[in-house]
Amino acid sequence: MGIIGTIFIGLIVGLIARFLKPGDDSMGWIMTILIGIGGAIAATYGGQALGIYQAGQGAGFIGAVIGAIVLLIIYGVVKKD
């Protein structure tokens, strides 16, 4: 999957991550999508670099959701200040 596919998956992942993460997020949809794209890129290329999964496996999607949730949590901690 190329970078365009990763970005498209990131759009979906951002929405799923925001739905799954508990708490009240006062960010807009654009920021949610950007965090989803960041989580998808980090998890996709990070997981492949570490040898956790190969390109095109379903674990990449799960990793992207987890990566986006982690980024949402980090964003919430940083934004709180």
Side-chain angles (χ1 to χ4, degrees), residues 11 14-15 17-19 24-36 72 75 79:
L11 297 173
L15 297 174
R18 187 158 176 193
F19 177 74
D24 182 32
D25 292 325
S26 59
M27 69 179 75
W29 289 101
I30 293 175
M31 193 62 188
T32 300
I33 290 169
L34 291 175
I35 287 177
L72 280 171
Y75 178 81
K79 188 70 174 176

Side-chain angles (χ1 to χ4, degrees), residues 58-74:
F61 185 79
I62 295 168
V65 171
I66 293 170
I69 290 172
V70 169
L71 286 179
L72 280 171
I73 292 169
I74 291 171

